[in-house]
Amino acid sequence: IDQTAVQHALARQDQLTKPPGSLGRLEELAVRLAGLQRTATPEVDPVRVLLFAADHGVAAEGVSRYPQDVTKQMVRNIANGGAGVAVMAKAVGAGLDIIELGLATGSEVVEGVRSEPLGPGSGNIAREPAMTPEQLARALDIGRDAVDRAVDAGVRLIIGGELGIANTTAAAALASALLDRAASEVVGPGTGLDSAGVNRKAEVVARALALHASEPRAPLEMLRRLGGFEIAALTGAYLRAAQRGVAMLIDGFIVSSAALAAVRLQPAARDWMLFSHRSAEPGHRLMMEALEADPLLDLGFRLGEATGACAAVPLLRLACAVHRDMATFDEAGVSNAC
Amino acid sequence: IDQTAVQHALARQDQLTKPPGSLGRLEELAVRLAGLQRTATPEVDPVRVLLFAADHGVAAEGVSRYPQDVTKQMVRNIANGGAGVAVMAKAVGAGLDIIELGLATGSEVVEGVRSEPLGPGSGNIAREPAMTPEQLARALDIGRDAVDRAVDAGVRLIIGGELGIANTTAAAALASALLDRAASEVVGPGTGLDSAGVNRKAEVVARALALHASEPRAPLEMLRRLGGFEIAALTGAYLRAAQRGVAMLIDGFIVSSAALAAVRLQPAARDWMLFSHRSAEPGHRLMMEALEADPLLDLGFRLGEATGACAAVPLLRLACAVHRDMATFDEAGVSNAC
């Protein structure tokens, strides 16, 4: 963060025709973006959602209310414009890059979907590592490449999104390991498990943690063993966005596990992250605390896909508009405070 | 609220390709708007901000950090596009109707401002009633007429906004009286008083409450004695929007005192109110509790003018877009929960 740009932005905010601080977090956002972008006039457009989809072997443990076919069906639904993220990205004027990294019933050609299969889904983390080292490296690369495509096209705000039946289980396992928390503290209902289902899921995550516990506690190895293709791709994307110097808006529970992994791998990546919303998934709070994040919205979302981040995009735009377009006391001939 | 439309909207939400309830408050908003508008496809556009500005005699008690001239200066600044509400209304695509009801240094002709002066500002509530019965009636009418202009032009969402040096003092006095709370429970720093200033302001409000306490406890009389021209106009506007059957999005502290007065006068008006944000002004919470309101945003705003409501407009639009445009499980060929 460029401290000169931050100081200039703070000084400008105090000259705008409003009581100092009276636009609260919108002011913070404008100042932060000014510092990140090293400019007096921060902007978030163009915005692009990078949506990574993949299946998870751990679905075999009965940890989701939805059959595994739904991952592939939802990839089509996103591409066709019918899914939550498709409607919301369009409504807020964000681009959408859909990347499929491996489906249980095989990849298929879908218009508007980039297919980069690493296998028929990640391994069942309750029995084996999620990925081979080669799959992990490839997933990180796929995330990195998606960011490069976006940044090369001029994108100023990167949003990571995800889709994959059973991926709250993988994200909970990864978060538990990274945070050194018990499975039961991090696991939640995901797409809508009842309490018996949550208990079963916590037991599966606990089994996965026990299975992989003797391994080196390096974040990258935790990601390989407990994550998933799309979670690793998101980690690679977040690391790359920070390297390229582009702000990211973080969505909910699953992408936050990837953001946490990225920050453990490269603490400076945290600077480039803005946090959009508090997920209704209980373990999200623990990740936000670890990342010292105070998300903008709290609307009870637990859909994932990047929908929470899409909902926060208009606030970032407003922050930039206020910073750029409001008149100063001098310009407007308005008396400042007595 | 049309319960048939509500039931249809709830049924549609459960058929959309997402776990039921996973878009939280966006789903609630869509269902609520469907019920209010008696339609399967609720919409909030066009949106219009009705911005009522007036001076307050109580400014003479030293309750604001800003000189009273600022009201007139800010009316110009809003009309010229430089104020917070002007920038934000434009950024979110809301129309703006600026109505001036009386300035201490006299009205003036400003392009884009409707001037309807009721006097050089309301009376000093610490010494006299804010308004004569005639001024109150005229202010209510001005608010009503602004809503009629909007609704006749097809507006589907009404936002009330306000401007007036010292109007947090009047709003605090009115809220204290309506809620039967001590001045010290409702008074806050407004545009930025220090703690000594807040104490002085609370003492002024307490004096106003004591002066007018022997009068009949009817809400309309409280509004006349303790409110102000713009607060009364807002009350009239809210009552009229409910009569015309148009949804309103309520901003922060000052307009909420008018919303509370409107609901005390006509409890059914509450049905038409959506609440945009939690003001940083401490007394706002008490009004939200009394109105059983759970505002959408909590961003530390304390600017007023309707800026908090403007920030919430994109969420209402998203709620409508999701409800209308997301595919159902059947349409998308996506398997529903096991």
Side-chain angles (χ1 to χ4, degrees):
Chain A
I1 299 190
D2 183 307
Q3 289 304 327
T4 306
V6 165
Q7 292 309 318
H8 281 144
L10 284 169
R12 175 164 172 80
Q13 281 288 333
D14 278 352
Q15 281 307 309
L16 299 178
T17 45
K18 57 179 172 51
S22 62
L23 282 177
R25 302 209 58 194
L26 238 46
E27 300 187 18
E28 281 174 37
L29 282 171
V31 171
R32 178 91 181 281
L33 287 165
L36 290 172
Q37 298 181 350
R38 299 168 182 262
T39 175
T41 52
E43 281 182 67
V44 294
D45 288 298
V47 181
R48 186 180 291 184
V49 177
L50 312 180
L51 192 296
F52 301 98
D55 266 317
H56 289 255
V58 75
E61 304 290 333
V63 289
S64 177
R65 287 179 71 220
Y66 290 84
Q68 196 169 32
D69 285 353
V70 166
T71 307
K72 180 184 279 188
Q73 294 164 351
M74 283 296 296
V75 168
R76 282 191 218 116
N77 192 28
I78 295 171
N80 290 338
V85 66
V87 171
M88 291 176 70
K90 184 177 174 193
V92 303
L96 180 55
D97 187 1
I98 310 168
I99 303 118
E100 174 264 299
L101 294 98
L103 297 171
T105 53
S107 296
E108 59 175 12
V109 177
V110 177
E111 197 184 324
V113 178
R114 184 178 299 263
S115 183
E116 312 240 30
L118 309 179
S122 50
N124 178 350
I125 60 173
R127 297 171 180 272
E128 62 195 332
M131 289 168 268
T132 64
E134 294 70 28
Q135 286 173 322
L136 172 64
R138 186 79 194 103
L140 291 165
D141 281 355
I142 290 169
R144 186 195 61 196
D145 292 349
V147 166
D148 280 341
R149 286 195 299 278
V151 177
D152 292 346
V155 165
R156 286 199 182 85
L157 183 73
I158 296 277
I159 293 175
E162 47 59 43
L163 172 72
I165 293 302
N167 70 359
T168 60
T169 300
L174 177 59
S176 295
L178 290 168
L179 298 171
D180 200 17
R181 295 274 190 166
S184 59
E185 292 182 85
V186 180
V187 168
T191 52
L193 293 175
D194 59 15
S195 66
V198 173
N199 289 341
R200 189 169 59 245
K201 181 172 163 186
E203 185 271 320
V204 169
V205 170
R207 237 191 307 146
L209 292 171
L211 176 68
H212 301 293
S214 61
E215 297 306 311
R217 306 299 287 164
L220 205 59
E221 187 64 5
M222 293 182 192
L223 178 62
R224 180 178 83 79
R225 289 178 163 270
L226 298 168
F229 297 156
E230 85 286 33
I231 294 174
L234 283 159
T235 304
Y238 291 145
L239 289 168
R240 186 59 169 175
Q243 281 182 334
R244 295 290 304 261
V246 173
M248 327 166 213
L249 183 60
I250 310 296
D251 187 46
F253 185 75
I254 291 139
V255 303
S256 292
S257 74
L260 184 58
V263 171
R264 290 292 165 87
L265 288 163
Q266 179 49 266
R270 171 64 183 79
D271 281 351
W272 299 91
M273 294 177 178
L274 306 168
F275 293 85
S276 61
H277 82 115
R278 296 195 176 276
S279 166
E281 186 74 1
H284 189 242
R285 186 181 53 79
L286 296 173
M287 290 192 272
M288 293 302 96
E289 284 173 9
L291 288 163
E292 297 179 58
D294 184 10
L296 291 163
L297 298 172
D298 187 358
L299 298 170
F301 284 16
R302 49 184 172 80
L303 175 56
E305 295 180 5
T307 49
C310 287
V313 166
L315 292 177
L316 273 59
R317 285 210 188 99
L318 276 177
C320 296
V322 160
H323 192 75
R324 182 186 62 230
D325 296 337
M326 272 186 73
T328 64
F329 286 101
D330 278 354
E331 288 165 355
V334 172
S335 308
N336 207 332
C338 312
Chain B
I1 299 192
D2 183 308
Q3 289 304 325
T4 306
V6 165
Q7 292 309 317
H8 282 143
L10 284 169
R12 175 164 173 80
Q13 281 288 334
D14 279 352
Q15 282 307 308
L16 299 178
T17 44
K18 57 180 172 51
S22 62
L23 282 177
R25 302 208 56 194
L26 239 46
E27 300 187 19
E28 282 174 37
L29 282 171
V31 170
R32 178 92 181 281
L33 286 165
L36 291 172
Q37 297 182 349
R38 299 168 183 260
T39 175
T41 52
E43 282 181 66
V44 294
D45 288 298
V47 181
R48 186 179 292 183
V49 176
L50 312 179
L51 192 297
F52 300 97
D55 267 317
H56 289 256
V58 76
E61 304 290 334
V63 289
S64 177
R65 287 178 70 220
Y66 290 85
Q68 196 170 31
D69 285 353
V70 166
T71 307
K72 179 184 279 188
Q73 293 164 350
M74 283 296 295
V75 168
R76 282 191 218 117
N77 192 27
I78 295 172
N80 290 338
V85 66
V87 171
M88 291 176 71
K90 184 177 173 192
V92 303
L96 180 54
D97 188 0
I98 310 167
I99 303 117
E100 174 263 299
L101 294 97
L103 298 170
T105 52
S107 295
E108 57 175 13
V109 177
V110 177
E111 197 185 324
V113 177
R114 184 178 299 262
S115 184
E116 313 241 29
L118 308 180
S122 50
N124 178 349
I125 60 174
R127 297 172 180 271
E128 62 194 333
M131 289 168 268
T132 65
E134 294 70 29
Q135 285 173 324
L136 172 64
R138 186 76 194 106
L140 291 165
D141 281 356
I142 289 169
R144 185 195 62 196
D145 292 350
V147 166
D148 281 340
R149 285 194 300 276
V151 177
D152 292 347
V155 165
R156 286 200 182 84
L157 183 73
I158 297 277
I159 293 175
E162 47 59 43
L163 172 72
I165 293 301
N167 69 0
T168 61
T169 300
L174 177 59
S176 295
L178 290 167
L179 298 171
D180 200 16
R181 296 274 189 165
S184 59
E185 293 183 84
V186 180
V187 168
T191 52
L193 293 176
D194 60 16
S195 66
V198 173
N199 289 341
R200 189 169 58 246
K201 182 172 162 186
E203 185 271 319
V204 170
V205 170
R207 235 190 309 143
L209 291 171
L211 176 68
H212 302 293
S214 62
E215 296 305 311
R217 305 299 288 163
L220 205 60
E221 187 63 6
M222 294 181 192
L223 177 62
R224 181 178 81 78
R225 289 178 163 271
L226 299 167
F229 297 157
E230 86 284 35
I231 294 174
L234 283 159
T235 304
Y238 291 146
L239 290 168
R240 187 58 171 174
Q243 282 182 334
R244 295 289 305 259
V246 172
M248 328 166 213
L249 183 60
I250 310 296
D251 187 46
F253 185 75
I254 291 141
V255 303
S256 292
S257 73
L260 184 59
V263 170
R264 290 293 167 86
L265 288 164
Q266 179 49 266
R270 171 64 182 81
D271 281 350
W272 299 91
M273 295 177 178
L274 305 169
F275 292 85
S276 61
H277 81 114
R278 296 194 177 276
S279 166
E281 186 74 0
H284 189 241
R285 186 181 54 78
L286 296 173
M287 289 192 273
M288 292 302 97
E289 284 172 9
L291 288 163
E292 297 179 57
D294 184 10
L296 290 163
L297 297 172
D298 187 358
L299 298 170
F301 284 16
R302 51 184 171 79
L303 175 55
E305 295 180 6
T307 50
C310 287
V313 166
L315 292 178
L316 273 58
R317 284 209 188 99
L318 275 177
C320 296
V322 161
H323 192 74
R324 181 186 64 231
D325 296 338
M326 271 187 73
T328 64
F329 286 101
D330 279 353
E331 288 165 356
V334 172
S335 307
N336 208 331
C338 313

